[in-house]
Amino acid sequence: MNTARKRAEELRELLARYDYEYYVLDAPSVPDAEYDRLFRELQQLERTDPSLVVAGSPTQRVGGAVSGAFAAVRHSSPMLSLNNAFDDDEVLAFDRRVRERLAEEGLPLAQLRYSAELKYDGVAVSLRYEHGLLAQAATRGDGTTGEDVTANVRTVRAIPLRLVGIAPAVLEVRGEVLMYRRDFERLNGRQRDAGEREFVNPRNAAAGSLRQLDPAVTAARPLRFFAYGVGETAGAELPGTHSALLGWLARIGLPVGAERAAGDGPQDLLAFYRRMQSLRPKLAYDIDGVVYKVERRDWHDALGFVARAPRFALAHKFPAEEALTELLDIEVQVGRTGKLTPVARLRPVFVGGVTVTNATLHNEDEIARKDLLIGDTVVVRRAGDVIPEVVRALPERRGEPPHRRAFSMPRACPVCGSAVVREEGEADWRCVGGLYCAAQRKQALLHFAQRRAMDVEGLGEKLVDQLVDAGLVRTPADLYRLDVATLAGLERMGEKSAANLVEAIQRSRHTPFARFLFALGIRHVGEEVARVLAQRYADTAALMREDWSALAATKATVQKDNARRRARGEPPEPVPLEGIGPEIVASLQRFFDEPHNRQVIAALHAAGIEFVREAAEAGETLAGRSFVVTGTLPTMSREQAHELIRRHGGTVASSVSRKTDFVVAGEAAGSKLARASELGIAVIDEDALLNMTGEAARRRAPDDPNHPVRSDPA
């Protein structure tokens, strides 16, 4: 018994501290699930031994102490909290208790109905209207006495200063002040920009905004309000059911939540609960459960109250979205594109309806911003189907145990050992061994084989999965060792399909150098950059011999000289690799400096890769002309327009310069169109481009000579 008494005292002290942090400081240090767990533990101790119940126990009152910063307001009737249910059995028990009590009072059970509405995750307030005008607003406080926040509430646009159509002597409306998620994100963004403390969650932000000493600060915060009941009334005839009351409140100008229902029994209530649980992630605001109330308001007094809650209502809470656990370790995963992502390994914790052992940490900067140390006690959040994340650490629980340590990103890929880099201005680290790294293997193969690269027809995602999973292909070079017998043995691969694929692989041995460069998957090297490189370098050996640092320095020098030449009216000197900036040059250097990538390129050449000249397949009607395509064309994608231009001998550039001959402009063309006008460059539309290539006639439907057909010009 002494142990129980000591534990009850510990729990009272803990809960009192958490109440103070939540209600007075607006800075909760633990999630709701932790508070609920401790509260229920204290309830159980007091239930087992009633002598442990004391007047100051959190189980005997509502909320926390009133801040001395605001005048006290004594509520005309207590603003009670609700008892909580956490599973279906507790809802069934609630219904059973209601029926038993009504039967004792001799009331007709056949008329029993319930209303169901959302349990908003905000700040409870009371709004007192006198003769239709807002006279006073108060927080819940300890349930009996709250804080006078009238000046602040008057700035909340969601709350009417005058009721619509009625002016009763007194109408006390009770509801919740909250903040929408999108507004919360914007507010925290402004806090970050100003170098000020960010809010923990939308409820914390709503509480902090409502309890500002300066109403002007509250006015600048995007607060909302939903009414859910009434307190004292005088001179107003209220509807007889709770559902009708909510409708009446809406008609007199008070915001009321749209998601509500009525039902005959617990199964209807549970159906509403499950529907709202699935809807929860899509709502604009946070909720932490639903509330059930007996519909007939005249039965509420008959059902009565317990110490801290009415018997006619129940809060059915969702599984906690936040919980406390220990950060055991931080590991690094390598994604399909080479991105390194730190992942938290957690002591298993039940949150959001599932047991969570891992959570995303996004990147190294995020870990530093949240000040996370391995070994910390952390808050983990899981909302709906969203991937669990570590929200914050609790440094006050840190102490100095020896197993806590800082995390640093590895400087070599944990999968393949290749170098990892972080480009300037980016938050992510990436592995540069794209051709070799096992984590990037499938992505690298699919990119290598795509139509605009090596054009290996028939090598799709499912087949790549089989080849990699069976260990038949580790790098693109392994494709050229595949034979018909090996492929025919794979699932859903007959001998004919296998033969066709082998033939496609053999054809790909002879390819233009630009396509091969694009196929390598070098970061920032798309088709246009690959074409520019192929015009300057004969093969990969020349690229690997290049001194990229010296080239970057030469480019910078020539560009500076040309700026002076233009100022003097002199013609500029040619810029080496014009259009390829320092970011791309650095990426090329990293790629070709990586020994693993060099090994794969050597293996590809050993497999018989040869470079052929890329001829204009449809003639040279656009030879020597440079085009820029901008905006949305009527029947072609930008990529299709590029391919059409190249097939007729033209070149495509990504930006408009004095060397551009034509700008092909579609809808919403933007800055490139303005630049063309500034330089006096000819602007044409899609029809003009088709006429220049002689393809306009081909694209008309036979039965309608005036109707262009959507088709791929390739």
Side-chain angles (χ1 to χ4, degrees):
M1 190 59 65
N2 289 336
T3 302
R5 191 171 300 279
K6 182 179 179 181
R7 179 56 178 163
E9 184 60 29
E10 289 175 352
L11 290 169
R12 282 194 289 269
E13 289 179 3
L14 270 176
L15 292 169
R17 190 179 94 203
Y18 295 153
D19 280 343
Y20 180 77
E21 292 171 347
Y22 182 95
Y23 290 100
V24 179
L25 301 182
D26 296 326
S29 63
V30 296
D32 287 353
E34 179 71 1
Y35 185 98
D36 289 339
R37 184 184 68 79
L38 297 175
F39 191 96
R40 288 166 75 88
E41 183 184 350
L42 180 58
Q43 277 185 316
Q44 184 59 43
L45 287 172
E46 293 177 347
R47 201 176 291 125
T48 303
D49 181 8
S51 70
L52 298 178
V53 179
V54 297
S57 174
T59 63
Q60 303 305 303
R61 62 184 178 83
V62 181
V66 177
S67 168
F70 297 90
V73 174
R74 188 169 183 83
H75 299 302
S76 56
S77 60
M79 290 187 68
L80 297 176
S81 183
L82 300 177
N83 282 325
N84 293 325
F86 293 89
D87 57 41
D88 292 4
D89 289 342
E90 291 179 292
V91 176
L92 297 174
F94 164 70
D95 174 66
R96 185 172 60 253
R97 290 193 301 272
V98 166
R99 292 177 183 276
E100 290 171 354
R101 187 82 175 184
L102 292 176
E104 291 173 3
E105 297 292 326
L107 297 171
L109 294 180
Q111 296 181 20
L112 175 61
R113 281 177 62 79
Y114 294 101
S115 68
E117 59 197 287
L118 301 180
K119 185 176 184 298
Y120 305 104
D121 201 6
V123 184
V125 297
S126 168
L127 309 177
R128 183 180 178 87
Y129 288 87
E130 296 179 355
H131 304 290
L133 300 176
L134 180 64
Q136 188 177 65
T139 63
R140 174 184 288 173
D142 63 3
T144 301
T145 303
E147 299 165 331
D148 189 333
V149 290
T150 308
N152 291 348
V153 163
R154 286 182 180 278
T155 71
V156 179
R157 292 182 177 273
I159 295 175
L161 298 179
R162 182 191 296 271
L163 299 177
V164 176
I166 66 166
V170 176
L171 177 63
E172 184 189 349
V173 178
R174 292 174 174 178
E176 202 91 355
V177 170
L178 47 81
M179 187 176 291
Y180 281 14
R181 294 191 195 108
R182 64 174 182 268
D183 296 328
F184 167 72
E185 295 297 337
R186 293 191 191 109
L187 174 60
N188 262 354
R190 294 198 297 271
Q191 295 290 105
R192 281 194 298 273
D193 293 343
E196 298 179 5
R197 177 177 67 90
E198 292 183 44
F199 293 99
V200 173
N201 51 45
R203 179 187 58 197
N204 174 239
S209 301
L210 187 64
R211 300 175 68 253
Q212 290 288 325
L213 295 180
D214 181 2
V217 176
T218 306
R221 303 279 175 82
L223 296 177
R224 314 286 181 127
F225 174 78
F226 287 120
Y228 55 64
V230 297
E232 180 187 3
T233 60
E237 186 175 346
L238 303 183
T241 67
H242 183 69
S243 295
L245 174 67
L246 294 180
W248 180 78
L249 289 172
R251 288 194 295 277
I252 63 174
L254 290 150
V256 175
E259 301 298 338
R260 56 187 195 269
D264 293 327
Q267 296 309 320
D268 291 340
L269 301 182
L270 293 173
F272 178 80
Y273 172 88
R274 295 187 179 98
R275 189 164 72 253
M276 293 305 103
Q277 189 174 21
S278 65
L279 182 65
R280 185 185 190 186
K282 302 174 186 175
L283 293 173
Y285 43 82
D286 284 348
I287 59 174
D288 57 2
V290 298
V291 175
Y292 310 133
K293 295 177 182 175
V294 171
E295 264 280 62
R296 285 188 56 165
R297 299 180 63 251
D298 59 338
W299 285 4
H300 291 182
D301 287 339
L303 288 164
F305 301 82
V306 292
R308 60 185 296 275
R311 289 194 180 97
F312 57 80
L314 181 74
H316 191 179
K317 300 190 78 171
F318 294 136
E321 291 189 316
E322 291 186 354
L324 295 183
T325 189
E326 182 184 356
L327 177 59
L328 299 176
D329 201 359
I330 298 176
E331 298 177 2
V332 174
Q333 292 181 346
V334 183
R336 288 165 61 95
T337 62
K339 175 184 171 183
L340 274 63
T341 302
V343 176
R345 302 304 183 199
L346 306 167
R347 190 173 299 284
V349 61
F350 191 77
V351 58
V354 300
T355 298
V356 171
T357 56
N358 304 322
T360 180
L361 291 172
H362 302 293
N363 54 57
E364 191 177 34
D365 289 349
E366 187 77 356
I367 294 172
R369 186 180 70 81
K370 293 178 177 176
D371 187 28
L372 299 177
L373 297 181
I374 296 169
D376 271 346
T377 298
V378 295
V379 177
V380 179
R381 179 177 177 83
R382 181 185 182 273
D385 295 327
V386 177
I387 298 171
E389 68 169 332
V390 174
V391 179
R392 64 187 185 278
L394 300 183
E396 64 273 15
R397 298 194 178 191
R398 187 169 286 166
E400 297 295 336
H403 69 283
R404 286 196 174 86
R405 65 187 191 278
F407 167 80
S408 60
M409 191 68 75
R411 293 302 180 260
C413 175
V415 174
C416 71
S418 298
V420 298
V421 298
R422 178 177 174 175
E423 295 183 5
E424 185 176 352
E426 290 199 357
D428 298 319
W429 289 83
R430 294 180 183 274
C431 167
V432 301
L435 292 179
Y436 175 82
C437 182
Q440 302 175 67
R441 190 166 290 160
K442 293 179 181 180
Q443 181 71 22
L445 289 168
L446 287 168
H447 179 79
F448 183 85
Q450 67 167 287
R451 181 173 62 86
R452 302 195 316 275
M454 300 299 282
D455 194 18
V456 182
E457 187 177 354
L459 188 61
E461 189 170 352
K462 291 182 179 179
L463 184 53
V464 165
D465 286 344
Q466 288 192 72
L467 292 171
V468 172
D469 294 344
L472 296 174
V473 175
R474 296 175 64 251
T475 75
D478 294 333
L479 292 171
Y480 296 92
R481 288 195 286 271
L482 295 174
D483 54 36
V484 174
T486 300
L487 290 170
L490 298 175
E491 185 180 352
R492 298 180 182 176
M493 276 294 286
E495 191 165 327
K496 183 176 180 180
S497 297
N500 289 339
L501 179 57
V502 168
E503 183 181 347
I505 292 172
Q506 298 308 317
R507 282 198 306 269
S508 74
R509 293 179 193 270
H510 307 286
T511 184
F513 185 37
R515 280 177 170 260
F516 179 78
L517 282 178
F518 176 59
L520 294 180
I522 305 168
R523 185 161 168 76
H524 303 307
V525 176
E527 292 174 87
E528 289 305 319
V529 172
R531 290 177 186 277
V532 172
L533 292 170
Q535 290 170 4
R536 178 181 174 94
Y537 300 96
D539 51 31
T540 49
L543 280 166
M544 288 189 280
R545 287 194 302 268
E546 180 64 87
D547 185 337
W548 297 103
S549 298
L551 177 68
T554 301
K555 279 176 63 71
T557 300
V558 173
Q559 287 168 340
K560 287 180 181 177
D561 288 345
N562 282 344
R564 289 191 287 267
R565 285 173 173 271
R566 281 191 290 271
R568 296 193 298 263
E570 299 174 3
E573 291 290 330
V575 178
L577 291 181
E578 187 170 13
I580 295 182
E583 184 182 58
I584 300 174
V585 170
S587 180
L588 288 163
Q589 180 171 10
R590 287 192 294 266
F591 184 87
F592 288 113
D593 280 352
E594 174 53 53
H596 291 140
N597 292 334
R598 286 174 171 262
Q599 291 168 12
V600 175
I601 290 170
L604 284 165
H605 286 302
I609 295 293
E610 294 180 354
F611 302 135
V612 298
R613 181 177 178 272
E614 188 169 19
E617 301 168 10
E620 301 288 339
T621 54
L622 304 182
R625 297 179 177 183
S626 173
F627 293 77
V628 171
V629 182
T630 182
T632 303
L633 301 181
T635 70
M636 285 190 286
S637 68
R638 199 171 299 183
E639 178 190 309
Q640 289 171 335
H642 289 174
E643 193 162 346
L644 175 66
I645 291 165
R646 293 192 196 103
R647 203 168 67 250
H648 287 269
T651 60
V652 179
S654 58
S655 59
V656 179
S657 69
R658 296 185 186 280
K659 295 182 179 180
T660 305
D661 294 298
F662 296 96
V663 169
V664 184
E667 188 178 349
S671 61
K672 292 179 182 178
L673 181 59
R675 178 64 173 162
S677 177
E678 179 185 327
L679 296 177
I681 293 168
V683 177
I684 62 174
D685 59 12
E686 180 187 295
D687 287 341
L689 176 63
L690 292 171
N691 285 327
M692 290 173 70
T693 60
E695 300 238 354
R698 268 187 58 213
R699 293 169 58 84
R700 296 187 188 278
D703 57 344
D704 183 357
N706 297 312
H707 183 69
V709 178
R710 290 184 179 271
S711 63
D712 187 341

